[in-house]
Amino acid sequence: MKLFIKEIVLWPEDSRNSVLSIPFATNKINVIHGRSRTGKSSIIAIVDYCLGATRCAIPVGIIRDNVRWFGLVLEINDEEVLIARRTPGDRQTSKEFFIDPNFDTIPLSLDTTHNELQFKQAFNNLVQLTNLPLTDGQDIGRFDGRPSYRDLAAFNFLPQHIVANPNTLFFKADSYEHKERLKRVMPFALGVIDNEYLLKEREKSQLQRMYDDLVKQREVLLRSMKAWDADIKRHWDDAVELGLAAESDAKTTETRIEKFGELNRLFLQDGLKSVLQTPNFVYTNERYKDAMKKEIDLQKLVDSHRREVRGLEQLSSRADSFKNAVKLEQNRVVNFDWLKSRIGGDNECVVCGSHTNQLSDVISHLDTEVNRVNVLAKALFENPVVDKEIEASKSRLRQASAELHTTRVERNRLQTIDAATKDSLSRVYLLIGRIQSALAAVATSNNTDDLSNRIDVLSKQLNDLNSYFLTSGKSQREAKVDSHLSGLIDIYAEGFGLEKRGSIKLDKNELTLSFRFDENSKKEYLWEVGSGANWMGYHIATFLALHEFFSSDELKNTPVFQFLIIDQPSQVYFPSAASGANDLDKAGDEIKNIIANRNEDIEATKKIFEMLAEGLRRSSNRYQIIVLEHADASIWGHCKDTVEAANWKSADGGLIPHDWILSKVMR
């Protein structure tokens, strides 16, 4: 995406002060240099805030207190656009935005034109990403939404806490949520997948969720139908007994339900007497006898399992007792090795000092006994009765007990049938009512056919999408991109003179660099490569490689913005003190002495700017670099395409003009 930062614009809280503008060259290295605590590091936070960041990272205090609006003049596809966002003030953030794609001059004051949602919609239109969603998309999962331009900011910022961080390579990827979002947006940003692929991925996600929901519904209904099987069987037995059906009429649940439907229709048509036969009491008696026999068999099985469990538990308890006894005996042996070592060759007693020839036999016997105890202790270190065997026996006992309970309930029901009312129509009508209730429940459960049809349709759609993914060529493109990026990173790493750990690869899963000498060697990661200079060098090498890749003709439509802001890369050579002071802040003879006495660190710092210039050259100056630094032109002034954007080294220098602060104090 051809998007550059032309200016950073600040509107003062005090309208008597002039609007502040910091201009940037769009195809060069722009350096803002100055002392500590002058607002250099706030540049990244301001740019990110104006582009719609969820949180405001602009420091509270002088900057927020003196600025009413933060703004950017952007060059988007050769057109200039002014965007701005009101300062959050005492709040966490502000949802008031301003956009003017047709401005001629920077206005002296601003009024809100867009809320946050409207701004992101309008900005998506400006950067031609209108087909991308504005949020994560709650309907498709927290991290699985198609990417927003906000997800791509990770390629544009290298803040101070990231530029030499061994554990984090990308902006905001040190938080789980942003890391997951970036992992999903990475293939899109690198051109491995396109908008069509993203649309189909989203479609698959939605279809898969619908498919899973329908399958769950069908499983619930099927379980419900299984629960009704027992009721249908019981009603069928009652129907056979009362003469409403013959035992041979139906053998399956489906045929019994069909027969019940016929009985219900006859009942509603007052034709039930036409099928009423002589009650079959023998059938009930046989069922009662079968239930009694099954109950007896199950009781025997339950008793057997109960004895098994009890026996295993007793064996376990005895084993524990025996193990404890062996441990006690082992503990009573007092340093036998010491005792053996104290017995001299002349068999002198260690207790009384007398001479005897019996000590060797005693020692030999004791040695045998001690070894026996030790062998027992090792053998009994673990309980010989495995706990899972006891648990398995208990599980079998619970299962048999549940089956016994069910059988007893059925036997009691058969036993309590009143023989005096077996031939009465009251039981017939009562049974018909139960049958009608069962048929209604079954009708609801039989919705599985409709669910199955819908599941089949979704399954076919998912199969079609899977076929698309298999033939999309994503794997081949990904391998080509990985190889290309690895080669570019290696070129820049070579230029920095970094420690080599085999072939380099951008690991899109871990979001860091990995190193491997060959396929059989262990993969190593950036955090395993020592020294801050290596970490800083690999960070910059990676981002130069990425922006060279994004600048190629093949990726001219990439959604990644063509600017890179780096905050204090020289910190690994010139770290700031706790007070904020930095050696590179010095001037005159002091800085000359530093240059003379710390030549190696100065040359290493110059190398950073030389590599940035090399990155622009290799990319035909198709992107923009902004560097926030302590180092001044005495270090980077010789580098091609490197210009000074702002100098805040004087006592009153800084992002917020000195007269703004004075006017606020005097007001």
Side-chain angles (χ1 to χ4, degrees):
M1 168 55 61
K2 193 175 180 181
L3 185 150
F4 305 104
I5 300 174
K6 295 276 289 185
E7 297 179 56
I8 288 178
V9 187
L10 305 182
W11 283 264
E13 183 66 35
D14 187 342
S15 59
R16 295 174 297 176
N17 294 321
S18 301
V19 175
L20 173 68
S21 174
I22 305 174
F24 298 100
T26 58
N27 57 352
K28 297 183 184 296
I29 302 169
N30 301 266
V31 183
I32 296 179
H33 63 99
R35 297 172 295 105
S36 296
R37 300 179 181 175
T38 52
K40 298 188 303 297
S41 297
S42 301
I43 296 298
I44 287 180
I46 289 171
V47 174
D48 192 39
Y49 182 67
C50 291
L51 290 175
T54 303
R55 301 181 203 172
C56 179
I58 302 171
V60 296
I62 292 177
I63 299 178
R64 289 202 200 184
D65 291 344
N66 288 278
V67 178
R68 180 169 296 182
W69 287 83
F70 297 93
L72 302 173
V73 177
L74 302 175
E75 182 181 309
I76 303 176
N77 296 328
D78 300 321
E79 299 290 334
E80 290 191 358
V81 177
L82 176 63
I83 67 171
R85 188 175 185 180
R86 185 183 286 276
T87 180
D90 296 332
R91 297 167 294 173
Q92 290 291 326
T93 188
S94 171
K95 298 184 183 297
E96 297 179 65
F97 289 83
F98 173 91
I99 300 181
D100 187 353
N102 302 304
F103 82 103
D104 294 321
T105 59
I106 295 175
L108 298 179
S109 62
L110 300 179
D111 292 315
T112 301
T113 61
H114 296 70
N115 61 31
E116 184 176 21
L117 180 60
Q118 292 168 340
F119 170 80
K120 290 184 177 180
Q121 289 173 333
F123 197 79
N124 263 334
N125 287 330
L126 288 172
V127 298
Q128 299 178 0
L129 296 178
T130 54
N131 59 340
L132 301 181
L134 307 177
T135 64
D136 291 346
Q138 296 300 319
D139 60 328
I140 51 176
R142 185 178 177 189
F143 305 120
D144 294 322
R146 295 173 60 207
S148 162
Y149 75 87
R150 287 296 313 155
D151 300 315
L152 306 173
F155 299 104
N156 300 115
F157 302 115
L158 267 177
Q160 186 177 353
H161 71 283
I162 295 291
V163 71
N165 190 326
N167 300 307
T168 305
L169 185 63
F170 291 100
F171 177 58
K172 292 188 177 179
D174 47 354
S175 74
Y176 174 73
E177 181 173 351
H178 285 95
K179 183 176 181 179
E180 291 303 308
R181 290 289 297 168
L182 183 55
K183 284 164 64 174
R184 283 157 177 75
V185 80
M186 184 77 77
F188 175 67
L190 295 175
V192 174
I193 59 177
D194 55 15
N195 287 340
E196 181 185 7
Y197 194 98
L198 286 171
L199 281 170
K200 292 190 179 296
E201 270 195 328
R202 184 175 188 181
E203 182 182 1
K204 180 183 177 182
S205 177
Q206 293 171 331
L207 291 177
Q208 187 67 53
R209 192 179 64 256
M210 293 169 59
Y211 177 87
D212 293 340
D213 288 344
L214 290 177
V215 168
K216 288 178 182 178
Q217 290 180 39
R218 186 172 64 177
E219 288 175 352
V220 169
L221 290 176
L222 289 174
R223 285 196 297 269
S224 177
M225 290 182 67
K226 288 182 179 179
W228 279 104
D229 280 351
D231 288 339
I232 295 296
K233 175 67 168 62
R234 187 161 55 249
H235 296 334
W236 179 258
D237 290 341
D238 290 342
V240 171
E241 178 188 336
L242 294 173
L244 291 173
E247 184 179 359
S248 60
D249 283 350
K251 296 295 185 181
T252 66
T253 299
E254 289 75 14
T255 55
R256 289 166 182 166
I257 291 172
E258 184 179 345
K259 183 66 176 179
F260 282 159
E262 293 176 6
L263 289 175
N264 187 47
R265 284 192 293 274
L266 288 172
F267 172 75
L268 295 175
Q269 297 169 4
D270 200 23
L272 191 61
K273 291 182 180 179
S274 64
V275 296
L276 194 60
Q277 305 172 15
T278 304
N280 188 353
F281 300 139
V282 174
Y283 180 72
T284 303
N285 290 336
E286 291 299 322
R287 285 167 53 210
Y288 179 76
K289 285 165 46 179
D290 290 342
M292 283 290 296
K293 182 178 182 304
K294 186 176 182 180
E295 181 182 356
I296 293 171
D297 292 340
L298 285 172
Q299 183 63 61
K300 291 179 180 178
L301 182 62
V302 166
D303 292 341
S304 174
H305 287 322
R306 187 183 295 127
R307 287 192 297 271
E308 181 182 20
V309 170
R310 188 180 298 119
L312 287 172
E313 288 178 339
Q314 289 177 349
L315 180 60
S316 176
S317 176
R318 291 171 181 171
D320 286 339
S321 299
F322 185 52
K323 181 178 66 175
N324 292 334
V326 171
K327 283 185 177 180
L328 180 62
E329 185 175 351
Q330 187 181 29
N331 292 335
R332 287 173 177 171
V333 177
V334 181
N335 205 335
F336 183 65
D337 290 334
W338 174 85
L339 182 61
K340 287 196 295 183
S341 67
R342 301 299 298 171
I343 302 300
D346 54 359
N347 287 337
E348 183 177 306
C349 181
V350 296
V351 178
C352 62
S354 62
H355 292 273
T356 174
N357 60 0
Q358 299 297 318
L359 286 177
S360 59
D361 293 337
V362 173
I363 293 299
S364 177
H365 177 70
L366 286 174
D367 196 19
T368 300
E369 290 300 310
V370 169
N371 286 336
R372 181 181 65 83
V373 172
N374 288 334
V375 169
L376 282 174
K378 290 179 181 179
L380 295 171
F381 182 74
E382 293 293 338
N383 194 317
V385 179
V386 183
D387 290 340
K388 66 179 182 181
E389 292 294 335
I390 297 177
E391 182 57 33
S393 296
K394 289 182 177 180
S395 177
R396 291 191 291 269
L397 174 59
R398 287 192 292 269
Q399 185 177 352
S401 298
E403 193 174 352
L404 175 61
H405 174 73
T406 302
T407 302
R408 281 177 174 168
V409 169
E410 176 65 10
R411 191 258 302 163
N412 288 333
R413 191 184 69 83
L414 293 171
Q415 189 175 11
T416 55
I417 292 178
D418 186 2
T421 61
K422 283 182 181 179
D423 57 346
S424 69
L425 285 176
S426 61
R427 281 193 62 214
V428 172
Y429 292 128
L430 181 62
L431 177 60
I432 291 296
R434 291 173 179 168
I435 288 174
Q436 289 174 334
S437 176
L439 289 174
V442 169
T444 301
S445 299
N446 276 339
N447 192 36
T448 54
D449 291 340
D450 177 59
L451 286 175
S452 295
N453 291 335
R454 292 163 63 189
I455 288 171
D456 290 341
V457 171
L458 290 177
S459 179
K460 183 180 183 307
Q461 292 175 323
L462 286 170
N463 287 335
D464 292 342
L465 287 172
N466 287 330
S467 297
Y468 166 81
F469 293 132
L470 286 173
T471 58
S472 67
K474 177 189 173 184
S475 298
Q476 293 84 346
R477 287 195 300 275
E478 188 167 28
K480 183 179 178 180
V481 167
D482 286 347
S483 176
H484 189 182
L485 274 178
S486 294
L488 293 177
I489 296 172
D490 191 65
I491 289 172
Y492 289 111
E494 188 76 27
F496 272 109
L498 303 177
E499 177 184 345
K500 297 295 293 290
R501 302 295 301 173
S503 60
I504 307 170
K505 182 179 179 181
L506 177 60
D507 191 311
K508 296 187 291 296
N509 185 50
E510 294 293 335
L511 293 183
T512 189
L513 296 180
S514 65
F515 306 85
R516 179 177 280 179
F517 287 104
D518 54 54
E519 290 299 322
N520 298 320
S521 63
K522 172 183 172 291
K523 183 187 291 187
E524 298 174 348
Y525 293 97
L526 181 61
W527 59 77
E528 297 178 278
V529 178
S531 92
N534 275 306
W535 297 328
M536 177 276 298
Y538 274 119
H539 274 74
I540 295 180
T542 301
F543 275 75
L544 292 178
L546 283 167
H547 279 274
E548 179 178 339
F549 180 77
F550 294 139
S551 300
S552 64
D553 291 333
E554 293 81 1
L555 270 79
K556 60 183 178 181
N557 294 322
T558 177
V560 178
F561 302 152
Q562 290 181 302
F563 69 84
L564 173 61
I565 307 180
I566 308 173
D567 187 11
Q568 299 184 45
S570 68
Q571 63 181 292
V572 296
Y573 307 116
F574 294 94
S576 296
S579 63
N582 190 286
D583 285 345
L584 293 178
D585 292 338
K586 297 173 182 177
D589 292 338
E590 288 183 304
I591 191 65
K592 290 179 181 178
N593 289 333
I594 291 173
I595 292 175
N597 297 323
R598 297 183 59 180
N599 184 63
E600 186 175 340
D601 290 333
I602 292 294
E603 290 302 316
T605 303
K606 286 181 179 179
K607 174 63 72 174
I608 296 173
F609 290 93
E610 290 170 354
M611 292 307 301
L612 295 178
E614 175 67 8
L616 278 187
R617 185 196 66 78
R618 288 179 54 88
S619 305
S620 302
N621 293 68
R622 291 184 176 180
Y623 66 97
Q624 170 190 45
I625 299 176
I626 299 172
V627 182
L628 315 171
E629 255 297 343
H630 289 277
D632 60 21
S634 63
I635 292 178
W636 46 259
H638 69 287
C639 294
K640 183 181 178 182
D641 294 326
T642 304
V643 298
E644 180 181 86
N647 181 350
W648 298 335
K649 279 212 167 183
S650 63
D652 58 353
L655 175 65
I656 304 302
H658 194 60
D659 56 344
W660 285 23
I661 301 172
L662 288 176
S663 66
K664 185 175 180 64
V665 172
M666 295 173 64
R667 215 171 22 162

